[in-house]
Amino acid sequence: MQKRVCLLLTVILSLSVSAVSAQMFTPQPDMAQEILMRTTFTDVPTQFSNVNRLQTMAALQLMTFSDNRVHLQQYMTEDEVLRILYYAAGVRDKADQMGENNAYRTEMGLGERDAASNSDGLYLYAYQSGLISKEQFDGYFFTYALSRNTVAMRYDVYLWMAKLFGIQPESDLGKLIRFSDGNRIQTADKPYFAALINQGLVEEKTSLGLYFPVSREWFLNTLERMEPYFIETLGYQKREGTVIEVLQDEAIRKIVVETSGGGQDVIEVPLSKTQNQLAEDIAVLGAGGRQITACLTAGETISYYIKSAKVSFIVVKNALPKSLVNTEIQVEGTLYYYDPDMRMAAIQTPSGYIPVFLTENVSITKDDMAIAAVDLCQYYGKTIQVSAIMRYEKDLLTAKSCHVFD
């Protein structure tokens, strides 16, 4: 998948910001590269309708993809689900300690911990906190009627989320009848499902799919809806607003945001004089294949995740449409940064930052000698000339050829 970035075509030199009192934020150092790598999926189209949700959950480390593949339709086991939910709820360490406590294990009728029991804490904590019944607990540990590798069912995961995230049960059960399987919910569980439905935390469909297996896609989308209940537990503050202007000179880029609360935030990104701009920039995620803050434009609605008063990453909610142009252009400037894994380069020119995607068959030369794409990292700050196709306005260029000058 080509991980795209947007092109900032106009550089605004004025750095004056509206007189409205603004809260200032700066990037969390050395995070952009890590976030971009964590959220680069080779099996999810950039324009996939839920790509924002998938990337956000990956950026928050609620799910990892070692091969950069999401495997959207792959089913998840109860073990997998519980580990992620415990992390989001801030109880993962407590569950692990419970599984490692031999005195408590003996009290519960279990033997001492060994290599084969590394998930015991998940179920000990689940029983203690009311996520599973005594019968289920016995099934996991004594009768072996249940397997920890069992595929999780939506019914259980809905309940686990509600209880772990502290979503209070509600007595208004009226909306349960909208769902064809609402009558299959046990009486004791109905107030929890009512709360999830009444607060818009479940997808509006004719059925809840209570006894459907949990796929990665369903889980990530559902977990993202629960985000307000666990984002602070993960150490983040989430802010939202609309970009009203992007101001830039040689030293700094200022992104001025009108917040959803009516105030104003300013995100200041220093423009690096070193070889790696990503060390000081912010990863920008969202539909359209965003990359770094150079792509942001006025009118786009964004969410930005703040940890320790620094912006960790940004998610674009309404990537603006681009006009198809299919124009061949020549670009010459300074190599701004290059990511060999995503084959993505940015060229700094007098008129802005030009993002370029280097396909596998692109010709790259220096002094009329071919060089490997991975070796471009050696030429930060050097002059680079690219012949490329621009398919959409404000989209990355796809390079046809590339030449590096000393």
Side-chain angles (χ1 to χ4, degrees):
M1 180 188 71
Q2 294 184 2
K3 188 72 177 176
R4 297 182 175 183
V5 282
C6 288
L7 169 60
L8 182 63
L9 295 175
T10 305
V11 178
I12 305 175
L13 297 177
S14 169
L15 282 177
S16 61
V17 180
S18 169
V20 175
S21 177
Q23 188 164 348
M24 312 295 287
F25 296 99
T26 55
Q28 187 175 352
D30 299 314
M31 280 298 295
Q33 176 75 9
E34 180 182 339
I35 294 290
L36 290 174
M37 292 305 299
R38 196 186 297 161
T39 57
T40 300
F41 310 134
T42 60
D43 62 341
V44 179
T46 301
Q47 301 297 337
F48 181 67
S49 59
N50 286 325
V51 71
N52 287 1
R53 286 178 168 172
L54 301 181
Q55 289 184 320
T56 301
M57 294 299 97
L60 293 171
Q61 291 187 283
L62 291 172
M63 208 158 191
T64 57
F65 312 98
S66 58
D67 58 355
N68 289 106
R69 294 176 63 84
V70 182
H71 302 284
L72 287 173
Q73 301 312 313
Q74 180 175 310
Y75 294 143
M76 299 180 65
T77 66
E78 293 181 348
D79 258 23
E80 289 178 291
V81 169
L82 285 173
R83 288 181 192 278
I84 295 169
L85 294 184
Y86 285 2
Y87 176 75
V91 298
R92 177 70 178 273
D93 288 345
K94 185 175 181 179
D96 288 343
Q97 291 165 8
M98 194 174 290
E100 295 168 0
N101 186 325
N102 285 328
Y104 182 70
R105 292 173 64 87
T106 300
E107 180 185 333
M108 296 300 294
L110 308 181
E112 291 193 356
R113 184 182 183 278
D114 57 30
S117 56
N118 60 5
S119 65
D120 286 357
L122 301 177
Y123 297 91
L124 286 165
Y125 185 87
Y127 174 59
Q128 186 192 69
S129 57
L131 301 185
I132 61 175
S133 66
K134 181 63 165 64
E135 181 181 6
Q136 288 173 303
F137 179 83
D138 290 344
Y140 288 117
F141 287 101
F142 303 119
T143 67
Y144 304 106
L146 298 175
S147 168
R148 302 174 193 193
N149 291 321
T150 298
V151 172
M153 294 291 115
R154 292 185 185 182
Y155 188 115
D156 294 324
V157 176
Y158 273 134
L159 274 182
W160 294 345
M161 287 180 173
K163 292 179 179 181
L164 283 169
F165 298 150
I167 298 172
Q168 296 301 308
E170 297 183 10
S171 58
D172 180 4
L173 310 181
K175 292 183 179 179
L176 290 179
I177 62 173
R178 294 183 182 180
F179 300 90
S180 60
D181 51 355
N183 60 349
R184 301 182 67 184
I185 301 173
Q186 296 180 26
T187 301
D189 298 333
K190 285 185 176 181
Y192 288 103
F193 278 94
L196 294 174
I197 294 168
N198 294 342
Q199 295 179 40
L201 300 176
V202 303
E203 195 172 3
E204 284 289 342
K205 289 190 173 182
T206 57
S207 168
L208 292 167
L210 295 174
Y211 295 97
F212 287 4
V214 171
S215 68
R216 288 188 170 201
E217 180 179 4
W218 179 88
F219 178 75
L220 288 168
N221 289 338
T222 304
L223 186 61
E224 195 269 348
R225 290 190 181 91
M226 310 282 178
E227 188 187 65
Y229 287 94
F230 62 75
I231 193 66
E232 291 185 5
T233 301
L234 294 179
Y236 290 93
Q237 176 194 8
K238 180 182 178 181
R239 297 176 70 86
E240 296 181 313
T242 300
V243 178
I244 55 176
E245 56 184 346
V246 179
L247 310 172
Q248 180 171 315
D249 67 5
E250 293 182 356
I252 199 166
R253 178 182 301 121
K254 291 189 177 184
I255 300 144
V256 186
V257 182
E258 183 177 356
T259 67
S260 53
Q264 205 173 85
D265 287 345
V266 177
I267 303 171
E268 295 188 342
V269 179
L271 300 181
S272 177
K273 300 300 183 183
T274 68
Q275 293 185 342
N276 185 10
Q277 171 63 21
L278 281 181
E280 300 181 69
D281 216 323
I282 304 170
V284 178
L285 314 174
R290 304 316 178 104
Q291 282 279 330
I292 55 176
T293 55
C295 75
L296 292 171
T297 57
E300 291 181 323
T301 302
I302 62 173
S303 298
Y304 37 113
Y305 291 74
I306 298 163
K307 179 174 280 191
S308 302
K310 305 285 187 181
V311 180
S312 293
F313 63 96
I314 296 171
V315 180
V316 178
K317 297 295 186 180
N318 66 327
L320 296 180
K322 310 175 183 71
S323 302
L324 183 65
V325 293
N326 272 336
T327 301
E328 183 169 346
I329 63 174
Q330 300 286 330
V331 176
E332 183 172 319
T334 301
L335 185 60
Y336 182 65
Y337 86 90
Y338 178 65
D339 185 320
D341 295 300
M342 292 184 283
R343 303 181 68 86
M344 193 69 62
I347 302 172
Q348 185 175 9
T349 73
S351 61
Y353 297 86
I354 313 297
V356 179
F357 177 76
L358 302 173
T359 59
E360 291 187 5
N361 60 353
V362 68
S363 170
I364 306 175
T365 59
K366 180 181 182 295
D367 298 330
D368 297 322
M369 299 289 291
I371 61 174
V374 69
D375 292 333
L376 274 180
C377 295
Q378 302 175 22
Y379 300 104
Y380 287 124
K382 300 295 184 181
T383 300
I384 185 171
Q385 186 180 75
V386 172
S387 173
I389 297 292
M390 181 169 65
R391 295 189 62 230
Y392 296 91
E393 290 181 1
K394 297 188 178 180
D395 201 359
L396 85 163
L397 307 178
T398 300
K400 297 173 60 180
S401 64
C402 173
H403 187 73
V404 181
F405 298 91
D406 279 326

